[in-house]
Amino acid sequence: MSTATRSDSRTQAMHVADSHGVIRVHGARENNLRDINVELPKRRLTVFTGVSGSGKSSLVFDTIAAESQRLINETYSTFVQGFMPTLPRPDVDVLDGLTTAIIVDQQRLGADPRSTVGTATDAHAMLRILFSRLGEPHIGPPTAFSFNVPTRTASGAMTVDKGRGERIVVRNVVYQGGMCPRCEGRGAVNDIDLSQLYDENKSLNGGALTIPGYSMEGWYGRIFSGCGFFDPDKPIKKFTKRELADLLYKEPTKIKVDGINLTYEGLVPKIQKSMLSKDVDSLQPHVRAFVERAVTFGTCPDCAGTRLSEAARSAKIGGISIADACAMQISDLAGWVRGLHEPAVAPLLTALGETLDSFTEIGLGYLSLERPSGTLSGGEAQRVKMVRQLGSSLTDITYVFDEPTIGLHPHDIRRMNELLLRLRDKGNTVLVVEHKPETILIADHVVDLGPGAGTAGGEVVFEGTVAGLRSSGTLTGQHLGYRASVKPAVRAPSGALQVRGADTHNLRAVDLDIPLGVLVVVTGVAGSGKSSLISGSVAGRDGVVSVDQAPIRGSRRSNPATYTGLLEPIRKAFAKANGVKPALFSPNSEGACPACNGNGVIYTDLAIMAGVATPCEECEGRRFDASVLEYTFGGKDISQVLAMPVADAERFFGAGEARTPAAHAVLTRLVDVGLGYLTIGQPLTTLSGGERQRLKLATHMGERGGVLVLDEPTAGLHLADVEQLLALLDRLVDGGKSVIVIEHHQAVMAHADWIIDLGPGAGHDGGRIVYQGTPADLVAAPATLTGEHLAAYVGAAGATGA
């Protein structure tokens, strides 16, 4: 056989290394998954769909991505693993063909006030190097331009021996930092209203303190009573200047109370450390309310909010300081960087320009590098994380995305689809959890989970091509061509909410009358000023209840019953029926099982290995002490009630001997938002993003207020769930509420009574009202981007007969 013939035969035969073309998942049982098997093609775009709560995230994130990360972490030394998060092995029989997974999820970026868009990416670090090399006058190294690094001075003596005998040298060294000394790099200063801290007519023992958590019954009481700096029985208004200063401002001081060594600290510095050093939105509701009442935040007068010292702002390149550069819109900053021609820093300029261009390419050119990362929406945060991946040379990576189109206008979804395809075409495996039909349609492979949510889901109901999905008969297949139509008649407004001269962020002195008593949809491309208009001019008014995108915070002890306040009337009903204290019926209080402290499981920490959770043998996972379970209400004990699905609990507390109107009202709202399948005691940590969004909506629906503001309520919702949401919005409006929805989903736009469209672009190209009127008029004469896409959507509805 000739050499050429042998070469041809080798070419025709598949190399064994090329046979690993799929990711095999067999026997996956995480959360609600029912022992499912799937094979996902590598180097293809696979979209996972299904109703909210069907198990998509459990399969993609909690099984495939989690195992990939766990295996990578195990390649590090045990010393390094000790500093890394410990990940348990997913509950799955076989996971084969995994590659390195890069997760781009919707988790918000750090809400620390020091974190900005620039620090969350490499852009700010590269800018600091650029100014340290080219800035005039030269003030120091890159740290001299960092608002997270203070200027430090050190002095000391050292012995030097250069061969001619030892001699002592005294050195004074200045480590140059860029932090503004007044605001410590935060850009804002705060003043505390002392009248909100205490009632001066009362004594400390008489309950003068009005700060949440500060009472005289616990440790604070022992410290205030035993410190000796003032008389706790004397009204505060009669304190001497020295006593008042000690109460409010005294620095940490060691004291001894009843033989115990303690530290006394004034109220103001203690509040600053415990409350004001954290992001306000991360605080508990009652603490947040106190901070908003007692503290006024203002721009730092020394640095004008730039966070930088005067020296850092003095160095300029072509008349531009680093503060000016960070304040620019990123698309403008990219143009400025391209205009710099300095051979000495050419590689740096190239890298910085590519990073800034990536922001524009991904639809975030309207941001600025100084924008606090905690103010970004979930969709914006996800796209900021994508910036690092766009220019990567890595291939054969598994990229995992969680609804990358969330928060995107239909005009921007097309651009996102192109980015996903580009990542795939570089030889990567792209896994996307998604509901939007525009992204489902570009998939090479589709995995549809269902058929329902929660215990009714967790099965693969379809696996194959988009064409196969259309004819599969599954819920997703049936709704893939669904289009809402424009209403033939709209409601008449009952009044108007006036907005005058709105200028928050990029808004340009907007004057607007928002109709009341109808369904109003505020739309526009990402960054056009929708949230700035509503949050800045509407949300804070009396009678306005706002449901924003802030994530629900909660531990594994939190559940729908505790989050919605449902547990309170249930506990009281049990207590009244049995003549005992309500605290007995809480697994976080007196009724907790003593063996597991109300957790239901025993956690064993294995250091660098993942911890092990075993069901508690005493309570068998029911979380309550055995004596508590002897008390019943309506024939059920408290553990049986917490194990009930919402729909069953709604019937249970709605009639008969267990009738409890307060509990029934909460449960009815949960059913209305489509969460009837959840168990009321299910940990919040097991809920999907869409379920959390609807849980928050159900909670706020019970608040009093004539105007309800919803920020992208379709986030995380399946096409079938969107229909249910539209019916809910109609019921709210017909019930007398005015509903204002910030939304990109065309189904919600088409269903609106009134549309307010902002634009025409993003950032400084937006901030204006480009259309306001009925959806029908917008479709009839589409003069904006929203109008064009809505007209195409409604046209498709006519074509499909929807």
Side-chain angles (χ1 to χ4, degrees), residues 222-296:
R222 297 184 68 174
I223 292 173
F224 288 136
S225 299
C227 66
F229 299 131
F230 37 71
D231 183 358
D233 292 314
K234 183 166 67 173
I236 293 179
K237 67 179 180 181
K238 294 184 179 180
F239 275 21
T240 64
K241 288 185 178 180
R242 177 63 181 272
E243 288 174 331
L244 190 59
D246 286 344
L247 173 66
L248 296 175
Y249 303 109
K250 195 170 187 67
E251 293 297 315
T253 305
K254 297 292 183 183
I255 61 173
K256 181 170 284 191
V257 179
D258 298 332
I260 302 173
N261 292 322
L262 299 170
T263 299
Y264 174 86
E265 188 173 16
L267 292 177
V268 171
K270 198 161 191 67
I271 290 173
Q272 287 175 332
K273 291 177 183 176
S274 64
M275 298 180 187
L276 303 188
S277 62
K278 301 175 182 177
D279 178 56
V280 176
D281 293 330
S282 68
L283 300 173
Q284 291 178 298
H286 68 290
V287 179
R288 186 191 317 139
F290 164 75
V291 170
E292 291 172 348
R293 183 176 69 247
V295 183
T296 56

Side-chain angles (χ1 to χ4, degrees), residues 76-139:
Y76 297 104
S77 68
T78 53
F79 173 77
V80 173
Q81 289 183 54
F83 297 94
M84 302 174 74
T86 54
L87 302 171
R89 188 185 187 281
D91 189 4
V92 60
D93 294 334
V94 177
L95 264 177
D96 194 22
L98 292 177
T99 66
T100 302
I102 295 177
I103 300 174
V104 187
D105 58 18
Q106 292 179 40
Q107 292 295 323
R108 298 294 182 98
L109 293 169
D112 189 283
R114 297 185 187 280
S115 176
T116 65
V117 170
T119 59
T121 60
D122 293 329
H124 199 272
M126 288 188 278
L127 264 185
R128 295 199 301 267
I129 299 172
L130 181 66
F131 275 86
S132 71
R133 301 297 187 267
L134 301 183
E136 292 292 339
H138 177 75
I139 64 167

Side-chain angles (χ1 to χ4, degrees), residues 198-212:
Y198 55 81
D199 182 349
E200 65 174 7
N201 295 312
K202 296 180 180 179
S203 67
L204 291 174
N205 283 337
L209 296 181
T210 56
I211 309 167

Side-chain angles (χ1 to χ4, degrees), residues 309-333:
S309 65
E310 186 177 356
R313 288 179 278 126
S314 68
K316 297 183 178 181
I317 302 174
I320 301 293
S321 70
I322 190 170
D324 298 329
C326 289
M328 284 184 187
Q329 189 166 300
I330 289 176
S331 56
D332 296 338
L333 179 60

